[in-house]
PDB file of all heavy atoms in Angstrom:
ATOM      1  N   SER G 230       8.182   5.386  10.239  1.00  0.00           N
ATOM      2  CA  SER G 230       9.021   4.187  10.238  1.00  0.00           C
ATOM      3  C   SER G 230       8.813   3.457   8.915  1.00  0.00           C
ATOM      4  O   SER G 230       7.698   3.449   8.391  1.00  0.00           O
ATOM      5  CB  SER G 230       8.614   3.270  11.395  1.00  0.00           C
ATOM      6  OG  SER G 230       9.086   1.954  11.167  1.00  0.00           O
ATOM      7  N   LYS G 247       3.579 -22.645  -7.247  1.00  0.00           N
ATOM      8  CA  LYS G 247       4.226 -23.779  -6.595  1.00  0.00           C
ATOM      9  C   LYS G 247       3.525 -25.100  -6.929  1.00  0.00           C
ATOM     10  O   LYS G 247       4.110 -26.161  -6.792  1.00  0.00           O
ATOM     11  CB  LYS G 247       4.214 -23.581  -5.076  1.00  0.00           C
ATOM     12  CG  LYS G 247       5.223 -22.550  -4.561  1.00  0.00           C
ATOM     13  CD  LYS G 247       6.617 -23.147  -4.522  1.00  0.00           C
ATOM     14  CE  LYS G 247       7.566 -22.313  -3.669  1.00  0.00           C
ATOM     15  NZ  LYS G 247       8.943 -22.839  -3.724  1.00  0.00           N
ATOM     16  N   TYR G 249       1.513 -26.629  -5.126  1.00  0.00           N
ATOM     17  CA  TYR G 249       1.459 -27.464  -3.918  1.00  0.00           C
ATOM     18  C   TYR G 249       0.123 -28.198  -3.795  1.00  0.00           C
ATOM     19  O   TYR G 249       0.013 -29.187  -3.106  1.00  0.00           O
ATOM     20  CB  TYR G 249       1.659 -26.598  -2.668  1.00  0.00           C
ATOM     21  CG  TYR G 249       3.084 -26.158  -2.403  1.00  0.00           C
ATOM     22  CD1 TYR G 249       3.336 -25.080  -1.551  1.00  0.00           C
ATOM     23  CD2 TYR G 249       4.173 -26.822  -2.961  1.00  0.00           C
ATOM     24  CE1 TYR G 249       4.629 -24.667  -1.278  1.00  0.00           C
ATOM     25  CE2 TYR G 249       5.471 -26.407  -2.691  1.00  0.00           C
ATOM     26  CZ  TYR G 249       5.698 -25.329  -1.847  1.00  0.00           C
ATOM     27  OH  TYR G 249       6.979 -24.915  -1.571  1.00  0.00           O
ATOM     28  N   GLY G 294      11.049 -16.021   7.988  1.00  0.00           N
ATOM     29  CA  GLY G 294      10.157 -16.190   9.125  1.00  0.00           C
ATOM     30  C   GLY G 294       8.763 -15.629   8.937  1.00  0.00           C
ATOM     31  O   GLY G 294       8.055 -15.391   9.906  1.00  0.00           O
ATOM     32  N   TYR G 334      11.008  -5.454   5.923  1.00  0.00           N
ATOM     33  CA  TYR G 334      11.436  -4.406   6.871  1.00  0.00           C
ATOM     34  C   TYR G 334      12.538  -4.938   7.792  1.00  0.00           C
ATOM     35  O   TYR G 334      13.513  -4.237   8.098  1.00  0.00           O
ATOM     36  CB  TYR G 334      10.215  -3.953   7.675  1.00  0.00           C
ATOM     37  CG  TYR G 334      10.511  -3.266   8.987  1.00  0.00           C
ATOM     38  CD1 TYR G 334      11.004  -1.964   9.033  1.00  0.00           C
ATOM     39  CD2 TYR G 334      10.276  -3.915  10.207  1.00  0.00           C
ATOM     40  CE1 TYR G 334      11.258  -1.335  10.250  1.00  0.00           C
ATOM     41  CE2 TYR G 334      10.523  -3.297  11.423  1.00  0.00           C
ATOM     42  CZ  TYR G 334      11.019  -2.005  11.437  1.00  0.00           C
ATOM     43  OH  TYR G 334      11.270  -1.384  12.641  1.00  0.00           O
ATOM     44  N   GLN G 335      12.385  -6.176   8.220  1.00  0.00           N
ATOM     45  CA  GLN G 335      13.394  -6.753   9.105  1.00  0.00           C
ATOM     46  C   GLN G 335      14.717  -6.975   8.370  1.00  0.00           C
ATOM     47  O   GLN G 335      15.791  -6.731   8.924  1.00  0.00           O
ATOM     48  CB  GLN G 335      12.860  -8.042   9.734  1.00  0.00           C
ATOM     49  CG  GLN G 335      11.794  -7.734  10.789  1.00  0.00           C
ATOM     50  CD  GLN G 335      10.914  -8.908  11.173  1.00  0.00           C
ATOM     51  OE1 GLN G 335       9.813  -8.702  11.666  1.00  0.00           O
ATOM     52  NE2 GLN G 335      11.370 -10.123  10.934  1.00  0.00           N
ATOM     53  N   LYS G 403      -3.793   7.308   3.665  1.00  0.00           N
ATOM     54  CA  LYS G 403      -3.993   8.726   3.421  1.00  0.00           C
ATOM     55  C   LYS G 403      -2.769   9.395   2.776  1.00  0.00           C
ATOM     56  O   LYS G 403      -2.898  10.361   2.035  1.00  0.00           O
ATOM     57  CB  LYS G 403      -4.314   9.438   4.736  1.00  0.00           C
ATOM     58  CG  LYS G 403      -5.673   9.104   5.315  1.00  0.00           C
ATOM     59  CD  LYS G 403      -6.826   9.577   4.460  1.00  0.00           C
ATOM     60  CE  LYS G 403      -7.075  11.071   4.638  1.00  0.00           C
ATOM     61  NZ  LYS G 403      -8.199  11.517   3.761  1.00  0.00           N
ATOM     62  N   GLY G 404      -1.596   8.877   3.092  1.00  0.00           N
ATOM     63  CA  GLY G 404      -0.388   9.532   2.591  1.00  0.00           C
ATOM     64  C   GLY G 404      -0.005   9.166   1.162  1.00  0.00           C
ATOM     65  O   GLY G 404       0.859   9.813   0.568  1.00  0.00           O
ATOM     66  N   ALA G 441     -13.219   9.886   5.223  1.00  0.00           N
ATOM     67  CA  ALA G 441     -11.845  10.271   4.894  1.00  0.00           C
ATOM     68  C   ALA G 441     -11.193   9.283   3.958  1.00  0.00           C
ATOM     69  O   ALA G 441     -10.283   9.617   3.206  1.00  0.00           O
ATOM     70  CB  ALA G 441     -11.021  10.387   6.168  1.00  0.00           C
ATOM     71  N   LYS G 442     -11.609   8.015   4.051  1.00  0.00           N
ATOM     72  CA  LYS G 442     -11.068   7.007   3.132  1.00  0.00           C
ATOM     73  C   LYS G 442     -11.996   5.800   3.136  1.00  0.00           C
ATOM     74  O   LYS G 442     -12.918   5.732   3.947  1.00  0.00           O
ATOM     75  CB  LYS G 442      -9.646   6.605   3.533  1.00  0.00           C
ATOM     76  CG  LYS G 442      -9.586   5.692   4.705  1.00  0.00           C
ATOM     77  CD  LYS G 442      -8.266   4.926   4.751  1.00  0.00           C
ATOM     78  CE  LYS G 442      -8.109   3.994   3.578  1.00  0.00           C
ATOM     79  NZ  LYS G 442      -7.627   2.667   3.883  1.00  0.00           N
ATOM     80  N   ILE G 547     -16.491  -1.197  11.800  1.00  0.00           N
ATOM     81  CA  ILE G 547     -16.743  -0.008  10.987  1.00  0.00           C
ATOM     82  C   ILE G 547     -18.233   0.266  10.807  1.00  0.00           C
ATOM     83  O   ILE G 547     -18.685   1.397  10.874  1.00  0.00           O
ATOM     84  CB  ILE G 547     -16.025  -0.141   9.625  1.00  0.00           C
ATOM     85  CG1 ILE G 547     -14.513  -0.118   9.871  1.00  0.00           C
ATOM     86  CG2 ILE G 547     -16.437   0.973   8.661  1.00  0.00           C
ATOM     87  CD1 ILE G 547     -13.686  -0.387   8.646  1.00  0.00           C
ATOM     88  N   GLY G 657      -5.360  31.772   0.629  1.00  0.00           N
ATOM     89  CA  GLY G 657      -6.735  31.887   0.150  1.00  0.00           C
ATOM     90  C   GLY G 657      -7.749  31.515   1.214  1.00  0.00           C
ATOM     91  O   GLY G 657      -7.507  31.685   2.414  1.00  0.00           O
ATOM     92  N   SER G 660      -9.238  24.982   2.129  1.00  0.00           N
ATOM     93  CA  SER G 660      -8.150  24.079   2.492  1.00  0.00           C
ATOM     94  C   SER G 660      -7.816  23.160   1.315  1.00  0.00           C
ATOM     95  O   SER G 660      -8.638  22.948   0.420  1.00  0.00           O
ATOM     96  CB  SER G 660      -8.552  23.226   3.695  1.00  0.00           C
ATOM     97  OG  SER G 660      -9.567  22.324   3.310  1.00  0.00           O
ATOM     98  N   PHE G 712       7.072  21.079  11.299  1.00  0.00           N
ATOM     99  CA  PHE G 712       6.240  19.903  11.035  1.00  0.00           C
ATOM    100  C   PHE G 712       4.881  20.450  10.615  1.00  0.00           C
ATOM    101  O   PHE G 712       4.160  21.025  11.432  1.00  0.00           O
ATOM    102  CB  PHE G 712       6.140  19.090  12.329  1.00  0.00           C
ATOM    103  CG  PHE G 712       5.469  17.758  12.183  1.00  0.00           C
ATOM    104  CD1 PHE G 712       6.220  16.630  11.903  1.00  0.00           C
ATOM    105  CD2 PHE G 712       4.098  17.618  12.350  1.00  0.00           C
ATOM    106  CE1 PHE G 712       5.611  15.389  11.780  1.00  0.00           C
ATOM    107  CE2 PHE G 712       3.493  16.382  12.220  1.00  0.00           C
ATOM    108  CZ  PHE G 712       4.247  15.259  11.943  1.00  0.00           C
TER     109      PHE G 712
ATOM    110  N   GLU C 266     -11.630  10.860  11.957  1.00  0.00           N
ATOM    111  CA  GLU C 266     -12.467  11.756  11.136  1.00  0.00           C
ATOM    112  C   GLU C 266     -12.986  12.926  11.973  1.00  0.00           C
ATOM    113  O   GLU C 266     -13.216  14.017  11.439  1.00  0.00           O
ATOM    114  CB  GLU C 266     -13.604  10.972  10.474  1.00  0.00           C
ATOM    115  CG  GLU C 266     -13.094  10.163   9.275  1.00  0.00           C
ATOM    116  CD  GLU C 266     -14.073   9.122   8.734  1.00  0.00           C
ATOM    117  OE1 GLU C 266     -15.069   8.787   9.410  1.00  0.00           O
ATOM    118  OE2 GLU C 266     -13.837   8.628   7.624  1.00  0.00           O
ATOM    119  N   GLN C 273     -10.316  20.900   9.894  1.00  0.00           N
ATOM    120  CA  GLN C 273     -10.890  21.723   8.826  1.00  0.00           C
ATOM    121  C   GLN C 273     -11.458  23.010   9.412  1.00  0.00           C
ATOM    122  O   GLN C 273     -11.333  24.084   8.828  1.00  0.00           O
ATOM    123  CB  GLN C 273     -11.969  20.949   8.072  1.00  0.00           C
ATOM    124  CG  GLN C 273     -11.413  19.861   7.142  1.00  0.00           C
ATOM    125  CD  GLN C 273     -10.422  20.419   6.131  1.00  0.00           C
ATOM    126  OE1 GLN C 273     -10.701  21.368   5.414  1.00  0.00           O
ATOM    127  NE2 GLN C 273      -9.226  19.844   6.084  1.00  0.00           N
ATOM    128  N   ARG C 279      -8.176  29.947  10.420  1.00  0.00           N
ATOM    129  CA  ARG C 279      -6.756  30.297  10.312  1.00  0.00           C
ATOM    130  C   ARG C 279      -5.985  30.017  11.597  1.00  0.00           C
ATOM    131  O   ARG C 279      -5.056  30.730  11.957  1.00  0.00           O
ATOM    132  CB  ARG C 279      -6.572  31.747   9.881  1.00  0.00           C
ATOM    133  CG  ARG C 279      -7.283  32.017   8.558  1.00  0.00           C
ATOM    134  CD  ARG C 279      -6.565  33.041   7.753  1.00  0.00           C
ATOM    135  NE  ARG C 279      -6.946  32.905   6.342  1.00  0.00           N
ATOM    136  CZ  ARG C 279      -6.292  33.452   5.338  1.00  0.00           C
ATOM    137  NH1 ARG C 279      -5.230  34.155   5.568  1.00  0.00           N
ATOM    138  NH2 ARG C 279      -6.681  33.277   4.102  1.00  0.00           N
ATOM    139  N   ASP C 286      -0.320  11.508  13.815  1.00  0.00           N
ATOM    140  CA  ASP C 286       0.117  10.502  12.845  1.00  0.00           C
ATOM    141  C   ASP C 286      -1.053   9.616  12.461  1.00  0.00           C
ATOM    142  O   ASP C 286      -1.856   9.214  13.310  1.00  0.00           O
ATOM    143  CB  ASP C 286       1.223   9.624  13.464  1.00  0.00           C
ATOM    144  CG  ASP C 286       2.613  10.157  13.171  1.00  0.00           C
ATOM    145  OD1 ASP C 286       2.811  10.692  12.071  1.00  0.00           O
ATOM    146  OD2 ASP C 286       3.496  10.024  14.037  1.00  0.00           O
ATOM    147  N   ASP C 288      -2.225   6.886   8.833  1.00  0.00           N
ATOM    148  CA  ASP C 288      -1.992   6.590   7.427  1.00  0.00           C
ATOM    149  C   ASP C 288      -3.036   5.631   6.870  1.00  0.00           C
ATOM    150  O   ASP C 288      -3.934   6.061   6.170  1.00  0.00           O
ATOM    151  CB  ASP C 288      -0.567   6.079   7.194  1.00  0.00           C
ATOM    152  CG  ASP C 288      -0.076   6.349   5.764  1.00  0.00           C
ATOM    153  OD1 ASP C 288      -0.658   7.224   5.104  1.00  0.00           O
ATOM    154  OD2 ASP C 288       0.868   5.695   5.305  1.00  0.00           O
ATOM    155  N   CYS C 289      -2.955   4.341   7.218  1.00  0.00           N
ATOM    156  CA  CYS C 289      -3.841   3.386   6.533  1.00  0.00           C
ATOM    157  C   CYS C 289      -5.298   3.546   6.939  1.00  0.00           C
ATOM    158  O   CYS C 289      -6.198   3.274   6.176  1.00  0.00           O
ATOM    159  CB  CYS C 289      -3.381   1.955   6.789  1.00  0.00           C
ATOM    160  SG  CYS C 289      -3.865   1.284   8.385  1.00  0.00           S
ATOM    161  N   GLU C 291      -6.930   1.657   8.674  1.00  0.00           N
ATOM    162  CA  GLU C 291      -7.578   0.345   8.702  1.00  0.00           C
ATOM    163  C   GLU C 291      -7.060  -0.466   9.883  1.00  0.00           C
ATOM    164  O   GLU C 291      -7.250  -1.680   9.934  1.00  0.00           O
ATOM    165  CB  GLU C 291      -7.289  -0.421   7.404  1.00  0.00           C
ATOM    166  CG  GLU C 291      -7.918   0.212   6.186  1.00  0.00           C
ATOM    167  CD  GLU C 291      -7.714  -0.596   4.909  1.00  0.00           C
ATOM    168  OE1 GLU C 291      -7.227  -1.732   4.988  1.00  0.00           O
ATOM    169  OE2 GLU C 291      -8.050  -0.064   3.842  1.00  0.00           O
ATOM    170  N   ARG C 320     -20.014   6.099  17.456  1.00  0.00           N
ATOM    171  CA  ARG C 320     -21.231   5.516  18.017  1.00  0.00           C
ATOM    172  C   ARG C 320     -20.982   4.925  19.398  1.00  0.00           C
ATOM    173  O   ARG C 320     -21.926   4.617  20.117  1.00  0.00           O
ATOM    174  CB  ARG C 320     -21.802   4.462  17.053  1.00  0.00           C
ATOM    175  CG  ARG C 320     -20.958   3.241  16.830  1.00  0.00           C
ATOM    176  CD  ARG C 320     -21.624   2.253  15.847  1.00  0.00           C
ATOM    177  NE  ARG C 320     -21.485   2.687  14.472  1.00  0.00           N
ATOM    178  CZ  ARG C 320     -20.507   2.269  13.646  1.00  0.00           C
ATOM    179  NH1 ARG C 320     -19.614   1.402  14.067  1.00  0.00           N
ATOM    180  NH2 ARG C 320     -20.435   2.713  12.416  1.00  0.00           N
ATOM    181  N   LYS C 342       5.282  16.890  17.950  1.00  0.00           N
ATOM    182  CA  LYS C 342       4.348  18.022  17.896  1.00  0.00           C
ATOM    183  C   LYS C 342       2.945  17.504  18.256  1.00  0.00           C
ATOM    184  O   LYS C 342       2.551  16.434  17.766  1.00  0.00           O
ATOM    185  CB  LYS C 342       4.340  18.617  16.489  1.00  0.00           C
ATOM    186  CG  LYS C 342       3.550  19.908  16.384  1.00  0.00           C
ATOM    187  CD  LYS C 342       3.713  20.520  15.001  1.00  0.00           C
ATOM    188  CE  LYS C 342       2.949  21.824  14.916  1.00  0.00           C
ATOM    189  NZ  LYS C 342       3.150  22.474  13.626  1.00  0.00           N
ATOM    190  N   ASP C 352      12.289   1.053  16.055  1.00  0.00           N
ATOM    191  CA  ASP C 352      13.070   0.637  14.877  1.00  0.00           C
ATOM    192  C   ASP C 352      14.466   0.182  15.298  1.00  0.00           C
ATOM    193  O   ASP C 352      14.986  -0.811  14.799  1.00  0.00           O
ATOM    194  CB  ASP C 352      13.195   1.790  13.872  1.00  0.00           C
ATOM    195  CG  ASP C 352      11.892   2.072  13.128  1.00  0.00           C
ATOM    196  OD1 ASP C 352      11.150   1.114  12.863  1.00  0.00           O
ATOM    197  OD2 ASP C 352      11.626   3.245  12.826  1.00  0.00           O
ATOM    198  N   GLU C 370      13.919 -24.445  -0.492  1.00  0.00           N
ATOM    199  CA  GLU C 370      12.534 -24.635  -0.924  1.00  0.00           C
ATOM    200  C   GLU C 370      11.599 -24.498   0.293  1.00  0.00           C
ATOM    201  O   GLU C 370      11.859 -25.019   1.374  1.00  0.00           O
ATOM    202  CB  GLU C 370      12.477 -25.990  -1.626  1.00  0.00           C
ATOM    203  CG  GLU C 370      11.202 -26.779  -1.713  1.00  0.00           C
ATOM    204  CD  GLU C 370       9.957 -26.049  -2.160  1.00  0.00           C
ATOM    205  OE1 GLU C 370       9.962 -25.403  -3.214  1.00  0.00           O
ATOM    206  OE2 GLU C 370       8.951 -26.150  -1.429  1.00  0.00           O
ATOM    207  N   ALA C 371      10.516 -23.749   0.071  1.00  0.00           N
ATOM    208  CA  ALA C 371       9.661 -23.324   1.188  1.00  0.00           C
ATOM    209  C   ALA C 371       9.084 -24.490   1.989  1.00  0.00           C
ATOM    210  O   ALA C 371       8.926 -24.391   3.201  1.00  0.00           O
ATOM    211  CB  ALA C 371       8.540 -22.437   0.655  1.00  0.00           C
ATOM    212  N   LYS C 412       8.154  -9.847  19.015  1.00  0.00           N
ATOM    213  CA  LYS C 412       9.094 -10.163  17.920  1.00  0.00           C
ATOM    214  C   LYS C 412       9.979 -11.352  18.284  1.00  0.00           C
ATOM    215  O   LYS C 412      10.198 -12.249  17.465  1.00  0.00           O
ATOM    216  CB  LYS C 412       9.947  -8.916  17.603  1.00  0.00           C
ATOM    217  CG  LYS C 412      10.775  -8.991  16.340  1.00  0.00           C
ATOM    218  CD  LYS C 412      10.013  -9.533  15.139  1.00  0.00           C
ATOM    219  CE  LYS C 412       8.885  -8.644  14.667  1.00  0.00           C
ATOM    220  NZ  LYS C 412       8.023  -9.304  13.638  1.00  0.00           N
ATOM    221  N   HIS C 415       7.702 -14.390  17.919  1.00  0.00           N
ATOM    222  CA  HIS C 415       7.374 -14.686  16.518  1.00  0.00           C
ATOM    223  C   HIS C 415       8.525 -15.451  15.865  1.00  0.00           C
ATOM    224  O   HIS C 415       8.333 -16.520  15.289  1.00  0.00           O
ATOM    225  CB  HIS C 415       7.071 -13.365  15.785  1.00  0.00           C
ATOM    226  CG  HIS C 415       7.231 -13.411  14.294  1.00  0.00           C
ATOM    227  ND1 HIS C 415       7.610 -12.324  13.561  1.00  0.00           N
ATOM    228  CD2 HIS C 415       7.086 -14.414  13.388  1.00  0.00           C
ATOM    229  CE1 HIS C 415       7.672 -12.648  12.279  1.00  0.00           C
ATOM    230  NE2 HIS C 415       7.373 -13.905  12.139  1.00  0.00           N
TER     231      HIS C 415
END
Side-chain angles (χ1 to χ4, degrees):
Chain G
S230 161
K247 285 282 196 185
Y249 284 162
Y334 159 74
Q335 288 163 202
K403 290 295 281 179
K442 76 159 295 225
I547 293 174
S660 69
F712 188 91
Chain C
E266 283 167 346
Q273 286 304 307
R279 303 212 158 195
D286 268 325
D288 206 20
C289 80
E291 294 184 9
R320 65 180 77 95
K342 188 174 181 177
D352 287 326
E370 155 48 53
K412 191 46 66 189
H415 158 211

